[in-house]
Amino acid sequence: MWIEDYALIGDMQSAALIGRNGSIDWLCLPRFDSPSCFGALLGDKKNGQWWIGPAHAERPQATRRRYRGETLILESEWDTPTGTVRVTDFMPTRHTNPDLVRIVEGVSGTVEMATEIRIRFDYGRIVPWVRRSDGLLQAVGGPDSVWLHSPVALEGSDYAHRARFEVSEGDSLAFVFTWHPSHEPRPVEIDPYEQLAETDALWAEWVEQCTYQGPWRDAVLRSLITLKALTYAPTGGIVAAPTTSLPEDIGGVRNWDYRYCWLRDATMTLDALIGAGYLEEASAWRAWLLRAIAGRAQDLQIMYGVAGERRLTELELDWLPGYENSRPVRIGNGAVNQLQLDVYGEVMNSLHLSRVSGLEADHRAWTLQFELISYVEEHWSDPDEGLWEVRGPRRHFVHSKVMCWVAVDRAVKQVEAFGKAAPLTRWKELRDRIHAEICDKGFDPVRGTFTQSYGSRELDAALLLIPIVGFLPPEDPRVVGTVEAIQRELMVDGFVLRYPVSADNDVDGLPGGEGAFLACSFWLAEALAMIGRKDEAVELFERLLSLRNDVGLLAEEYDPRYGRMVGNFPQAFSHVPLIHTARALS
């Protein structure tokens, strides 16, 4: 299946991807970053999969599917020659153990159904020992154990369990899949129908808080729900995506693990949530941040685990062939050790926005901000790897310098707004010095555009953020020239590339190409609106909305060469600028 053939369900601690054909091909338990128990997404069914659908050798795709209202409850329906059947998939809010519920309902007529489940722990590596107990299946492998409550008898063979059964109009059969640590007693069974009603009500209550009332409300709400689903509820951490190693280049090596909390992605996600009225998430994230980066400012990492873990060692899983043979499959992320100076600006901006939006003052937060600015003061002039996490040599990336300016600017604004004790004159002078150097060394006066790094001629889509973060006013000729240059030189088939990827540009140090980074195209739409070209902005924005799959989700990139999504999915960094751009255009 293509990446856009999947839908997301989750319990705000982990998530599953379900294909149009009714197959769960990805699920990591008990956390987003745990080893998978269904891993067919990065291999085949032998790496773990759970399928339910009409009994047919070809496993047909659902005739239609949708989320139930404004929730994360997925409903898939198949029309067959003998009737119509519906499968409702969801993960209830976690009480003790994670559960996944699949309810099969007869809508009309009578339909012969089938199911096949292959549980594989440790990313498809461990074939568990399976036994029956009181009519349930228990699978055990190392630290993992799963109990499966099935309303139909399952027969085991070839390391899988299967069943065929009929569903007539009015019938309802509930399957419940429950994970727990293998050393603990059997978990308490849930009532799937009570949990369905509770999950429905919880999402309805959360959505009611949304303050956005613009013309693209449905798209914005679906994006907000997706961002909420990527929040790790126990700590407030926000993962970039629930998947690893979905390729940016089909068949290539640009395959990364995104199941961690990037400070950049999380702060941008938080900005989107705050703008829609969700201050509770802002408070939880600030508490997570203070715990995660407690210590010296120079030890700040660009990403952490969902509970604030710092060691995210990158490994390759050589037993998995990868999505459409895109190798290697990676877990962990080596970029954790990179220097990315833009992160300081994103963190400072988010903490400042939280305060001006009504979040209560926190002395520890201001102490942290003071330390971060002290670090920026000493290191803003250093080269770094930049927001795109290039694996080539460090450079003086213009976007990184701009975000250092943002860090100091927001510190100054916070002092002025809330009367904090700080060396205000020195900080203002630093802000002016950074600004002047960027305009001197990062701008090409011949071409009339800012450049990717000092002394380069390349462009970078991150430069579109210059007016958005307030570095220069949108009417400034340097801003207009940069927006027009990016529109002219980085657009491919109507979508924006991050930067030129070619043999003579070794900026990222990797072979192969990639698709158009969706966030960049949203940034262009917002920038076009800011420079007064709103009609073009709306046209681009609505074209981007048309890329969403049938249930409103976006991956990291879109590859116009193949007309399909690429990269990890669903991607917070795509849904966040969708929300920002909708608000800007509204």
Side-chain angles (χ1 to χ4, degrees):
M1 281 184 288
W2 286 11
I3 290 170
E4 52 262 56
D5 287 325
Y6 289 99
L8 176 80
I9 62 171
D11 63 357
M12 284 161 284
Q13 294 192 45
S14 185
L17 293 188
I18 304 175
R20 291 176 189 262
N21 65 355
S23 174
I24 299 178
D25 288 350
W26 186 251
L27 174 63
C28 298
L29 292 173
R31 306 193 330 181
F32 290 108
D33 57 351
S34 297
S36 65
C37 53
F38 297 132
L41 181 71
L42 300 179
D44 58 30
K45 65 182 181 181
K46 293 180 181 178
N47 301 118
Q49 183 184 71
W50 184 9
W51 169 73
I52 296 178
H56 192 287
E58 305 248 334
R59 296 190 177 183
Q61 294 192 351
T63 308
R64 57 194 160 271
R65 63 177 181 171
R66 60 187 174 271
Y67 285 113
R68 176 183 292 187
E70 294 164 345
T71 73
L72 208 64
I73 300 168
L74 181 69
E75 296 179 335
S76 306
E77 293 182 351
W78 285 262
D79 294 335
T80 76
T82 61
T84 297
V85 66
R86 177 186 305 123
V87 176
T88 300
D89 292 304
F90 70 101
M91 294 177 70
T93 300
R94 198 172 301 188
H95 300 289
T96 303
N97 300 293
D99 299 289
L100 189 155
V101 179
R102 314 195 74 180
I103 299 175
V104 183
E105 300 172 272
V107 177
S108 65
T110 298
V111 181
E112 184 180 12
M113 298 290 289
T115 186
E116 178 178 284
I117 185 168
R118 296 173 184 264
I119 302 167
R120 299 290 186 269
F121 297 126
D122 194 25
Y123 301 105
R125 193 176 193 182
I126 296 176
V127 179
W129 172 58
V130 181
R131 68 182 180 93
R132 299 179 189 274
S133 176
D134 299 329
L136 279 71
L137 288 183
Q138 183 192 21
V140 176
D144 301 292
S145 179
V146 161
W147 290 81
L148 177 63
H149 180 279
S150 172
V152 299
L154 296 167
E155 297 294 330
S157 66
D158 190 28
Y159 302 104
H161 286 78
R162 305 175 182 84
R164 284 189 175 234
F165 55 98
E166 286 190 344
V167 178
S168 298
E169 182 176 347
D171 291 344
S172 182
L173 304 175
F175 297 77
V176 181
F177 179 96
T178 305
W179 179 96
H180 73 112
S182 60
H183 64 276
E184 292 186 355
R186 173 176 162 178
V188 175
E189 291 181 32
I190 63 169
D191 183 318
Y193 298 100
E194 286 184 2
Q195 291 302 309
L196 176 61
E198 181 179 310
T199 302
D200 198 343
L202 285 172
W203 278 111
E205 180 181 355
W206 189 80
V207 166
E208 280 183 1
Q209 302 172 52
C210 179
T211 57
Y212 175 79
Q213 299 295 334
W216 298 284
R217 181 174 167 82
D218 288 346
V220 168
L221 268 177
R222 180 50 53 193
S223 291
L224 287 167
I225 290 168
T226 302
L227 297 180
K228 179 66 172 175
L230 299 180
T231 303
Y232 185 68
T235 66
I238 304 169
V239 299
T243 56
T244 179
S245 299
L246 289 180
E248 297 170 9
D249 183 23
I250 299 294
V253 301
R254 297 170 183 261
N255 318 317
W256 316 110
D257 193 347
Y258 276 14
R259 298 170 300 156
Y260 305 114
C261 303
W262 269 256
L263 295 187
R264 176 189 308 107
D265 297 48
T267 55
M268 292 182 176
T269 299
L270 206 59
D271 294 349
L273 289 168
I274 289 173
Y278 292 99
L279 278 181
E280 182 178 339
E281 284 72 15
S283 178
W285 181 83
R286 186 175 68 178
W288 172 86
L289 176 71
L290 294 175
R291 294 191 303 269
I293 68 177
R296 302 180 305 169
Q298 58 263 42
D299 296 330
L300 179 77
Q301 296 184 179
I302 65 161
M303 73 178 88
Y304 298 85
V306 293
E309 296 88 350
R310 297 189 177 210
R311 287 193 298 274
L312 308 177
T313 306
E314 186 173 300
L315 303 171
E316 296 181 4
L317 307 185
D318 58 8
W319 63 88
L320 285 173
Y323 178 84
E324 295 192 16
N325 293 311
S326 302
R327 289 188 176 96
V329 170
R330 296 182 174 95
I331 60 171
N333 200 304
V336 68
N337 298 313
Q338 289 189 352
L339 174 65
Q340 298 176 18
L341 291 170
D342 66 292
V343 167
Y344 292 86
E346 277 117 16
V347 170
M348 289 295 296
N349 181 66
S350 186
L351 290 172
H352 176 64
L353 178 63
S354 299
R355 282 290 288 121
V356 299
S357 298
L359 204 62
E360 292 183 0
D362 186 307
H363 174 70
R364 296 171 303 162
W366 176 246
T367 301
L368 166 67
Q369 289 169 278
F370 201 103
E371 289 293 320
L372 294 180
I373 292 303
S374 297
Y375 182 85
V376 170
E377 195 168 12
E378 294 181 10
H379 295 279
W380 71 270
S381 59
D382 295 344
D384 73 338
E385 278 91 359
L387 88 163
W388 302 129
E389 299 177 359
V390 299
R391 302 207 172 189
R394 287 184 176 179
R395 299 168 188 250
H396 291 282
F397 287 104
V398 172
H399 172 261
S400 295
K401 307 299 185 189
V402 168
M403 295 311 295
C404 287
W405 176 89
V406 168
V408 182
D409 178 71
R410 300 317 188 255
V412 168
K413 284 180 166 58
Q414 192 144 342
V415 170
E416 293 173 338
F418 301 105
K420 300 290 185 181
L424 190 58
T425 300
R426 193 174 84 226
W427 284 0
K428 286 183 176 181
E429 291 174 351
L430 174 63
R431 181 178 63 177
D432 293 343
R433 190 162 66 251
I434 297 172
H435 196 283
E437 181 180 293
I438 294 169
C439 293
D440 177 41
K441 296 183 178 180
F443 183 76
D444 182 344
V446 176
R447 297 164 64 208
T449 179
F450 284 94
T451 59
Q452 183 176 54
S453 60
Y454 290 176
S456 77
R457 289 184 54 81
E458 304 293 351
L459 295 175
D460 191 314
L463 301 170
L464 293 166
L465 294 171
I466 285 175
I468 294 173
V469 300
F471 181 80
L472 286 173
E475 64 273 12
D476 189 294
R478 292 167 293 184
V479 169
V480 176
T482 301
V483 173
E484 291 178 344
I486 289 172
Q487 187 179 29
R488 183 174 59 249
E489 298 181 31
L490 286 187
M491 288 196 81
V492 175
D493 295 330
F495 304 101
V496 182
L497 300 176
R498 294 188 292 178
Y499 47 81
V501 177
S502 60
D504 58 353
N505 181 25
D506 62 348
V507 66
D508 63 15
L510 293 167
E514 64 176 8
F517 204 79
L518 290 174
C520 301
S521 297
F522 283 114
W523 294 342
L524 177 59
E526 185 169 356
L528 285 171
M530 293 182 77
I531 67 172
R533 293 161 58 178
K534 187 172 181 180
D535 289 345
E536 286 181 65
V538 170
E539 188 276 330
L540 174 57
F541 180 63
E542 293 189 337
R543 178 149 41 89
L544 292 168
L545 291 184
S546 72
L547 298 181
R548 295 174 302 148
N549 73 355
D550 58 316
V551 289
L553 302 180
L554 288 169
E556 179 183 25
E557 301 180 6
Y558 178 79
D559 196 328
R561 295 174 298 176
Y562 310 116
R564 57 186 297 192
M565 293 188 197
V566 291
N568 283 301
F569 174 88
Q571 175 79 1
F573 209 39
S574 296
H575 286 278
V576 165
L578 183 158
I579 296 167
H580 281 304
T581 307
R583 289 171 53 202
L585 297 181
S586 298

